[in-house]
Structures are given as C-alpha cells and as structure tokens.
C-alpha cells in the first residue's frame, strides 16, 4: 500500500506551457492509488484537453463555476473542496498564483481553492522573468505566510528559450511533496480508536423523478453525524458520507463527502471500502424511479404511475466484500417484528452488529432529539438501551460495538 492509497487529490491545471505534464502527474497519482479530480482554468484548455485529463483521472473535469445546464449542482465547488484531502495546482501560472493570493473566485479552480478545508500545494511554472518578478514573488510569499505550500520552480531550459528558474518541478518530485504535505497535515490522533479508519454514512438519499421532484425520506442525519463525532473524538480517522442534510460537519471528522442518490452513496462508500470500520446509518432509498424524466412532468389532470426499481443494496454489497480486518455495522428501522427482521438482516448481510430502531416507540425515530435502540451482535448478544439523547446513543453504540464496553 502506498502513502497515497485512497487519498482524494484535486489537481488544478492552469494555462501554461507545462500543462501537458499534468497528464503525467495524474497518471502517477492514480498509479499510487489516489482518487484524482481535475479542475482546469479556461486558458488551460488551450494547452491540454479535458478529454486527456478526464480519461486519465476517470473523473469529469470541471472548469466553470456555473453548471453547464440547469440540472447541474451549483454547490459543486463546495462538494469538491470538502472531498479533497489535498489540492495541488500544477502547473500554477503567474496569473493563477496572483488569483490564489488575492482570493479571486472566477473559475472552478479558484472557487475550490477558497472553499477547501485541506492543504494547498502550489507548483509554479513560468518564464524566468515572470517567476522572478517582484509581483509574482510577493504573491508566492503571501501564500506561504497563509500556510500554503509553494514549491520552488526548477532551474533549466524554458520554453521561451531562456535558461533559469521557472520550470515546473518534475512530476515525481510533486508526488513526493504531495505525500510529505499529506503526512504532515494528518493531525496526530489519540484515543482508543487512534489508527483506525472509519466510515459513517448518514442522512437520506434522493432519487430523482424529474429535475424538480424526488423520492426521499425523513432522515435528518442527526444519528449518523453524532456517531461520526463520537468516533472522531475517540481518535478514529473518520470519513462521513452524507445525503442531503442541513448539518455542519462535526469537529474532528477528517473528511466529508456529500452525495444525493443511493448510487452516489454506493460509489462513495466503495471508495472507502478498505476502511477498518464501516457504519451504515444512512436511510438509503430502497427504490428509485426506473427512469428520471429530463423535463418537469406536467400536470394533465390524470393519474401518474411511477415505475420503481430496487436500488443497489449497499450493506449487502459491503457484507459480501468484507475483509478479515473489517467490522461492518448496519442500522435497521422497523415498524413491526423488529428483532426478528433485524436478526435476519444481520445474518443475510454478513454484518458484525445491527442497531435496531423501532418506529412508533416513544422517543425513537426520525428528527427526534432522542432515540431508543437495541444493539444485536453476530455473536448472538442483544443489548437494549433506554430512551437517550442521540449523542448518548451514539456514544453507547460506538463504545459497545468497537470498544466492547
Ligand atoms: C504559448 C503560451 C505559453 C504560456 N505559458 C505560460 C507559462 O508557462 N506560465 C505562465 O504563468 N503563463 C503562461 N502563459 C500566459 C498565460 O496563458 C496567461 O497568463 C493566462 O491568462 C493564464 O490563465 P490561467 O492562470 O487562468 O490559466 C502562456 C501563454 C502562451 C500564449
């Protein structure tokens, strides 16, 4: 396993002659096991195609802040910023270095640079005189004072024919610096769960019917967020994958990934598929429309029949892939025959624990500040908890399942 395995890297590519080297950088990151999303400035398109970088990264390349059609997510810059473990700008032109220094927000690259919560690594590449200019040097100093990492440009022959400082550092050196920054940035965690990577899913999912309507449920995300917070406090490196909720990221959570549909959540969870613990708290939709209309469905005075098809069973999929070191915890929300149904689900999906909520019991369920759960173990154990505030329920679940207390 390499130091970049499973890491989320946002690579910003600017309009400089060295942009072609971004392709090699993406290849090296991917080879090291990282997930890469590329953002290009509009001028970068003049030097290298989004098709090349999109193909190598296996992700859509973004340039504009505004979505290309009405359907797109206008908060994508926030989502990408939160997704990233590190943002690398390579090559960084004099123009973009200036924008990063003064906080200009006029493209997806500069918007993500402002909304990210991760370290920023800037790799300048330009002609020698542009690089040495007091304005450029001052902008790089501003970034360094702010805590961003700016690599020194390499010395050598430049595209202009001049020789001097200004070359993009070698892609392999950028990869090594990326590893160093990520290692230093990882906060030292202490506590009984230190050293464990843990993923929690939370909230509902949304299955689109047409551009304005969807099928969803009442999940508020509170329970999953409380579990993420507890696990982070106990030292785990927590990834929180959340459906649409109105909750801030809890303190100590290493990364948050926001998703909409069950299929998106499945993909996000699989990206964390090697984590030591996966806790599926999300109230995932079991059915999705067979096809979503691209246009708003008009009212015509008649009934409307929606054909629904099953969504992917994320828990069952995780259970079938479970590795020896992993623990898998599911949640079951039942309205009747709770214990029996939960036991069945525990066995069928190869879980280690299942947490049962019974809807309709006083103090339990969606939105309420409290919850009442029963924790069932694959070892046959059953622990019934009284009605407690959700933060205390979260603490009890984490302590009981992961620490055995
Ligand atoms: C052929 C050519 C090569 C260029 N190479 C560089 C370069 O290596 N570094 C740089 O800072 N600007 C370079 N520029 C200028 C940038 O393309 C220009 O400043 C542009 O506004 C950068 O926009 P961006 O940072 O948003 O991509 C070059 C321009 C041309 C026409």
């Amino acid at each position: 396993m390499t130091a970049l395995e499973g890491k989320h890297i946002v690579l910003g590519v600017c309009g400089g002659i060295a942009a072609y080297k971004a392709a090699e950088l993406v290849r090296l990151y991917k080879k090291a096991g990282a997930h890469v999303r590329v953002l290009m400035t509009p001028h970068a398109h003049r030097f290298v195609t989004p098709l090349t970088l999109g193909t190598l990264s296996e992700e859509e390349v973004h340039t504009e802040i505004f979505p290309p059609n009405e359907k797109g997510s206008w908060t994508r810059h926030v989502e990408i910023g939160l997704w990233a473990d590190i943002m690398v700008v390579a090559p960084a032109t004099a123009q973009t270095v200036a924008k990063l220094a003064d906080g200009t927000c006029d493209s997806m690259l500069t918007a993500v640079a402002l909304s990210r919560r991760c370290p920023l690594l800037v790799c300048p590449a330009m002609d020698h005189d542009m690089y040495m200019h007091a304005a450029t040097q001052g902008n790089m100093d501003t970034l360094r004072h702010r805590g961003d990492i700016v690599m020194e440009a390499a010395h050598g022959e430049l595209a202009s024919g001049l020789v001097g400082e200004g070359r993009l550092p070698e892609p392999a050196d950028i990869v090594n610096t990326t590893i160093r920054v990520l290692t230093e940035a990882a906060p030292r965690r202490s506590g009984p769960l230190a050293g464990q990577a843990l993923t929690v899913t939370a909230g509902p999912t949304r299955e689109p019917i047409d551009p304005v309507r969807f099928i969803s449920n009442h999940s508020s995300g509170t329970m999953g967020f409380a579990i993420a917070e507890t696990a982070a406090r106990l030292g785990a490196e927590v990834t929180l994958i959340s459906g649409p909720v109105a909750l801030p990221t809890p303190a100590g959570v290493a990364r948050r990934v926001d998703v909409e549909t069950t299929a998106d959540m499945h993909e996000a969870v699989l990206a964390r598929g090697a984590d030591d613990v996966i806790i599926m708290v999300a109230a995932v939709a079991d059915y999705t429309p067979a096809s979503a209309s691209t246009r708003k469905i008009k009212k015509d005075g008649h009934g409307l029949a929606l054909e629904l098809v099953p969504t992917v069973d994320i828990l069952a999929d995780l259970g079938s892939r479970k590795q020896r070191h992993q623990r898998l915890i599911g949640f079951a929300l039942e309205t009747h025959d709770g214990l029996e149904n939960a036991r069945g689900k525990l066995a069928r999906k190869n879980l280690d624990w299942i947490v049962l909520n019974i809807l309709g019991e006083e103090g339990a369920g969606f939105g309420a500040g409290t919850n009442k759960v029963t924790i069932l173990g694959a070892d046959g154990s059953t622990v019934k908890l009284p009605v407690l505030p959700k933060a205390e329920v979260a603490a009890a679940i984490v302590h009981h399942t992961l620490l055995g207390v």
Side-chain angles (χ1 to χ4, degrees):
M1 184 160 145
T2 75
L4 291 181
E5 188 75 45
K7 293 289 182 212
H8 291 181
I9 300 175
V10 167
L11 176 63
V13 180
C14 309
I17 205 78
Y20 74 94
K21 292 188 184 169
E24 173 66 357
L25 193 51
V26 174
R27 204 186 62 78
L28 292 176
Y29 282 144
K30 291 287 289 182
K31 206 169 147 205
H35 303 283
V36 184
R37 288 168 89 173
V38 176
L39 311 178
M40 297 173 74
T41 65
H43 283 126
H45 289 229
R46 306 287 290 267
F47 295 85
V48 61
T49 68
L51 182 65
T52 301
L53 299 179
T55 305
L56 289 169
S57 64
E58 299 172 288
E59 291 282 350
E60 190 184 346
V61 171
H62 298 284
T63 294
E64 305 293 344
I65 304 179
F66 295 97
N69 57 48
E70 297 287 309
K71 256 183 350 123
S73 166
W74 62 271
T75 54
R76 179 151 281 151
H77 57 288
V78 178
E79 181 258 313
I80 297 175
L82 292 172
W83 175 88
D85 293 315
I86 186 167
M87 178 168 184
V88 181
V89 183
T93 53
Q95 164 88 311
T96 292
V97 168
K99 288 182 181 177
L100 294 173
D102 74 13
T104 298
C105 181
D106 64 350
S107 70
M108 186 60 97
L109 188 157
T110 49
V112 171
L114 289 179
S115 38
R116 86 208 135 82
R117 294 186 183 164
C118 62
L120 175 67
L121 171 62
V122 178
C123 311
M126 61 201 74
D127 190 49
H128 177 74
D129 296 309
M130 287 169 85
Y131 183 67
M132 296 312 292
H133 195 285
T136 307
Q137 290 290 325
N139 288 330
M140 293 192 296
D141 283 348
T142 300
L143 293 174
R144 289 189 178 109
H145 281 133
R146 214 182 271 156
D148 302 327
I149 302 95
V150 183
M151 283 184 85
E152 299 283 348
H155 183 281
E157 209 171 294
L158 302 167
S160 60
L162 295 175
V163 174
E165 277 82 26
R167 276 174 71 88
L168 182 72
E170 286 306 317
D173 293 338
I174 298 176
V175 170
N176 286 336
T177 307
T178 307
I179 293 172
R180 184 178 59 73
V181 173
L182 278 169
T183 315
E184 285 171 4
R188 278 178 223 294
R189 299 176 189 277
S190 59
L193 295 180
Q196 300 215 28
L198 182 147
T199 285
V200 185
T201 65
T205 56
R206 281 182 185 171
E207 306 301 322
I209 295 170
D210 67 14
V212 294
R213 305 182 181 95
F214 52 80
I215 298 173
S216 191
N217 59 62
H218 292 296
S219 173
S220 64
T222 321
M223 197 63 228
F225 275 56
I227 288 183
E229 183 163 14
T230 305
R233 203 171 47 243
L234 293 170
E237 191 209 319
V238 176
T239 300
L240 175 59
I241 300 173
S242 178
V245 296
L247 296 173
T249 307
V253 164
R255 69 188 70 75
R256 171 173 173 175
V257 182
D258 289 319
V259 296
E260 289 264 329
T261 65
T262 302
D264 296 342
M265 185 167 280
H266 184 226
E267 192 184 326
V269 172
L270 287 189
R272 302 302 313 177
D275 279 7
D276 303 292
V277 181
I278 301 181
I279 311 181
M280 282 288 300
V281 192
V284 171
D286 293 327
Y287 292 93
T288 188
S291 64
S293 169
T294 51
R295 293 173 166 211
K296 186 181 170 201
I297 300 170
K298 290 275 182 219
K299 185 166 70 175
D300 65 1
H302 298 291
L304 175 69
L306 270 183
E307 190 195 343
L308 300 179
V309 293
T311 54
V312 56
D313 187 332
I314 303 178
L315 253 184
D317 188 31
L318 291 173
S320 69
R321 298 165 187 254
K322 194 165 76 175
Q323 299 164 29
R324 273 167 163 265
H325 73 281
Q326 283 185 317
R327 277 165 295 170
L328 190 55
I329 302 170
F331 271 62
L333 180 70
E334 304 287 349
T335 51
H336 56 277
D337 302 331
L339 279 173
E340 204 182 312
N341 287 337
R343 277 251 165 256
K345 195 168 168 184
L346 178 76
R348 230 176 23 254
K349 302 194 180 187
N350 193 21
L351 311 181
D352 297 279
W353 302 93
I354 193 155
V355 179
L356 169 65
N357 282 280
I358 300 195
L359 199 64
E361 286 205 1
E362 209 179 320
F366 294 125
T370 58
N371 209 357
K372 185 179 176 196
V373 304
T374 301
I375 307 172
L376 307 172
D379 56 0
S381 62
T382 303
V383 174
K384 277 191 177 193
L385 298 178
V387 175
L388 292 169
K390 282 190 174 167
E392 287 181 38
V393 177
I397 292 169
V398 173
H399 279 89
H400 182 71
T401 58
L402 302 182
L403 300 171
V405 289

